[in-house]
Amino acid sequence: MTANLTFHGAAECVTGSCMLLEAAGRRILIDCGMFQGPKTLKALNYEPFPFAAASLDAVLLTHAHIDHSGLLPKLVKAGFRGPIFTTRGTRDLCEVMLADAGGIQESEVRHLNRRNAQRGLRSVEPIYTTGDVDPTLRLFERVKFEEPTPVVAGVQATWWPAGHLLGAASIQVQIGEGADSLNLLFSGDLGSGRQPFLPHPAGPVGVDHVILESTYGDRERIDLELAARRQALAEELRQARAAGGPLLLPTFAVGRAQELILDLLAVMEDEPDLAGDIFLDSPLAIEATEVFLRRGWNPDTGENPFEPLRHATRLHHLMRPQESDRLERLTGWHIILAGSGMCDAGRIRRHLKRLLWRREVTVLMTGFMAAGTLGRLLVEGRSAVRIQGEDVRVGARIRNLDCYSGHGDATDLVEWLKARSPVRGTVLLDHGEPAALATLAGRLAGVGYRPVTALLDQTYLLTRTSAEPLPGSAARLAPGQATRPDWHNDRAAFLVALNERLQALPSDTERAGLFARLNKALETDR
């Protein structure tokens, strides 16, 4: 038995997870995620799929995060009519996440088209709308963890707990039967096994190939026990309050927001001097919390750890934009959680425009920031950024607390893989930036595995023991382009630097001279 596996996303970068598996005359998609990061990378979301959506037999979904599920409505809009197999928790989270993504598409495209009309540019269409979500949800079929599920003739799949998010799974795909069968394991996003509210990652023993995420493949993270994690958060709160407050938490709405609020409430109960109002300014996070209350039962602990969110008097839900606007009038100590976690969309951008220049403000990052995102620029220490076309000086304290990440680190990934051994064939590495992929590949080779770094749009011919790249694959982006800041980032940085230089020049004559030199450079470049 052989199969072809093509990486149409999350190759050379950490977003846009999408893999096409062709075997036994069937075409199966594993994940269908949205790209995030530089605008050049995000532009792929608007392009046609590099495969015929109507030709697919099924989709297997690892979890609900938008970089794994976010283009499913586009897939259905393009003609896919097969089943989408996933766990109950993932299906329920997708119901709110995809509707939110469709609403964001409609809103952002509406504003973009208004600006395009003013500039004389063409209007654009949203990737999909909220109206495309219900037809997508009707295709979902729920599966149970650790129970083999026939997905198409000759192919069965088993979902194993991944410990990354409510409902998140690694997916084992078995093609054919007997000695000629092919046994693949797609890790999805893996937790460390030490997150207090999630089950321990699991999986089968003995497979042919493993497709392994590499988000933190080049680093060791400090994954604290619950008490120590809350102590670390309490110290950040002390410093933020001492600076004058408020504390702004860009947060991933599904999973991260709920865990952060649980810890904030616990810290405030233990240390009343840190108590204050918590504003959850994310309709998606509010709706997702209801799913966690329904589906958050943890079989490892025998309880639903999210129950304290049900009657939290300090927690205020802000659903409407008008409620978010009222936060501008607040003074004193308070905490705002708003999406998106990478600061590239949602209500967080409005809060950053309003607060980022103020020295008494603290911005606390708690997750992975993809290259080219506003969150990544802030973590890297930019002194000024552009937000929605405006220059904003960074006066706030930028802090980073990565013990909340839902991803395991390099050691966790290796240990999870060892527990799946023997691996007869290769370990195909995806879902990582170049440094993470290279470092993890070296580490795996050093302990006897055969790592292969997946490339965007590259097809690999899989036998039981080998994964060989097939010729003729045409990548939609040049090598390395997916994680490099693009010309949009360069333009934003240049405009910030230009405005700073203009303000620093002592006279209008010198400013006019600077413009003359720049115009001359433009003329020369024609």
Side-chain angles (χ1 to χ4, degrees):
M1 175 67 67
T2 63
N4 286 350
L5 180 64
T6 308
F7 291 81
H8 289 305
E12 306 174 75
C13 63
V14 297
T15 63
S17 180
C18 182
M19 291 159 281
L20 176 60
L21 178 64
E22 299 170 281
R26 301 293 183 174
R27 292 163 60 85
I28 299 169
L29 206 63
I30 296 88
D31 287 345
C32 190
M34 193 174 281
F35 288 102
Q36 297 166 299
K39 288 186 179 180
T40 300
L41 181 62
K42 290 192 291 187
L44 298 181
N45 295 325
Y46 291 86
E47 295 183 6
F49 287 111
F51 49 80
S55 71
L56 300 175
D57 295 290
V59 174
L60 314 182
L61 183 58
T62 61
H63 67 285
H65 277 151
I66 212 71
D67 63 320
H68 291 256
S69 71
L71 292 186
L72 284 171
K74 176 184 174 181
L75 191 73
V76 174
K77 188 177 178 181
F80 174 70
R81 295 296 181 268
I84 302 170
F85 293 97
T86 196
T87 64
R88 182 182 296 272
T90 295
R91 189 270 174 210
D92 287 0
L93 287 174
C94 280
E95 182 173 2
V96 297
M97 292 192 75
L98 296 178
D100 181 78
I104 289 174
Q105 277 292 306
E106 294 175 26
S107 174
E108 293 197 342
V109 166
R110 186 165 55 248
H111 288 102
L112 176 60
N113 283 338
R114 187 178 302 125
R115 293 197 300 272
N116 284 350
Q118 293 169 343
R119 300 167 183 167
L121 301 176
R122 291 184 303 172
S123 62
V124 299
E125 294 291 328
I127 300 171
Y128 57 86
T129 68
T130 53
D132 297 309
V133 174
D134 279 347
T136 304
L137 294 172
R138 286 196 289 270
L139 299 179
F140 274 70
E141 294 192 16
R142 300 178 182 89
V143 302
K144 293 182 178 180
F145 281 114
E146 302 185 31
E147 289 190 9
T149 300
V151 293
V152 294
V155 180
Q156 72 173 14
T158 306
W159 278 251
W160 297 85
H164 171 71
L165 173 72
L166 175 66
S170 302
I171 303 178
Q172 179 185 11
V173 179
Q174 295 169 284
I175 306 163
E177 297 180 356
D180 192 41
S181 65
L182 195 60
N183 192 355
L184 311 177
L185 179 59
F186 297 83
S187 74
D189 287 358
L190 292 168
S192 67
R194 296 181 298 278
Q195 287 98 333
F197 307 128
L198 294 168
H200 195 280
V205 173
V207 294
D208 296 324
H209 300 277
V210 175
I211 296 83
L212 179 62
E213 70 116 324
S214 314
T215 308
Y216 285 121
D218 60 343
R219 72 193 81 173
E220 304 296 332
R221 290 179 44 253
I222 300 175
D223 243 354
L224 303 173
E225 297 293 335
L226 182 58
R229 187 175 84 174
R230 287 174 172 173
Q231 288 174 6
L233 180 62
E235 180 57 29
E236 294 293 342
L237 265 62
R238 290 188 204 102
Q239 293 183 25
R241 183 160 192 182
L247 173 63
L248 183 59
L249 282 161
T251 185
F252 297 91
V254 179
R256 192 72 39 77
Q258 290 75 27
E259 291 197 18
L260 277 166
I261 294 169
L262 284 174
D263 283 3
L264 288 169
L265 294 171
V267 168
M268 290 179 181
E269 183 174 353
D270 290 342
E271 301 190 40
D273 59 315
L274 297 178
D277 288 322
I278 304 169
F279 297 94
L280 182 56
D281 192 16
S282 169
L284 174 57
I286 294 166
E287 294 181 6
T289 298
E290 293 300 317
V291 179
F292 279 81
L293 289 171
R294 288 200 313 271
R295 305 291 185 201
W297 181 264
N298 186 340
D300 289 356
T301 61
E303 64 175 3
N304 185 340
F306 300 98
E307 276 298 320
L309 299 179
R310 196 178 296 278
H311 303 294
T313 57
R314 291 195 178 278
L315 178 61
H316 308 280
H317 290 168
L318 307 183
M319 286 292 291
R320 296 179 299 167
Q322 301 92 314
E323 295 172 315
S324 179
D325 293 340
R326 295 191 192 113
L327 295 180
E328 296 184 14
R329 298 196 292 268
L330 285 181
T331 59
W333 173 242
H334 59 279
I335 298 170
I336 301 171
L337 292 88
S340 68
M342 296 187 191
C343 306
D344 258 17
R347 296 182 183 179
I348 190 63
R349 292 182 297 177
R350 182 166 49 190
H351 292 302
L352 287 169
K353 282 176 66 175
R354 179 172 64 89
L355 297 172
L356 194 57
W357 61 275
R358 291 168 51 180
R359 294 192 177 277
E360 72 272 21
V361 170
T362 299
V363 180
L364 178 59
M365 306 295 188
T366 58
F368 184 85
M369 305 289 160
T373 61
L374 176 57
R376 180 73 159 260
L377 297 178
L378 292 173
V379 169
E380 290 173 346
R382 293 291 180 95
S383 61
V385 293
R386 284 179 69 81
I387 304 175
Q388 297 175 323
E390 296 183 20
D391 293 350
V392 181
R393 170 73 57 182
V394 181
R397 299 168 63 251
I398 308 299
R399 301 287 298 165
N400 194 17
L401 190 62
D402 74 351
C403 60
Y404 282 91
S405 175
H407 290 271
D409 63 16
T411 295
D412 299 322
L413 295 173
V414 174
E415 291 303 312
W416 179 86
L417 182 63
K418 286 180 178 179
R420 312 282 78 79
S421 295
V423 178
R424 287 175 284 272
T426 60
V427 180
L428 290 134
L429 299 178
D430 71 341
H431 207 286
E433 294 185 354
L437 291 163
T439 302
L440 186 58
R443 186 165 180 173
L444 293 178
V447 292
Y449 293 99
R450 290 186 286 148
V452 174
T453 299
L455 301 177
L456 183 65
D457 296 320
Q458 176 67 58
T459 300
Y460 298 85
L461 173 63
L462 306 182
T463 68
R464 293 196 73 185
T465 58
S466 67
E468 299 295 333
L470 293 178
S473 300
R476 287 168 289 168
L477 296 178
Q481 188 176 358
T483 53
R484 281 197 304 264
D486 60 15
W487 70 269
H488 298 281
N489 299 109
D490 293 339
R491 178 181 62 179
F494 174 79
L495 291 173
V496 169
L498 175 61
N499 290 335
E500 288 180 342
R501 181 62 178 152
L502 289 170
Q503 293 297 324
L505 289 173
S507 69
D508 287 349
T509 300
E510 292 184 73
R511 296 183 183 101
L514 176 58
F515 279 120
R517 293 191 296 276
L518 291 172
N519 284 323
K520 184 176 180 180
L522 289 175
E523 289 295 330
T524 303
D525 193 55
R526 284 187 177 180

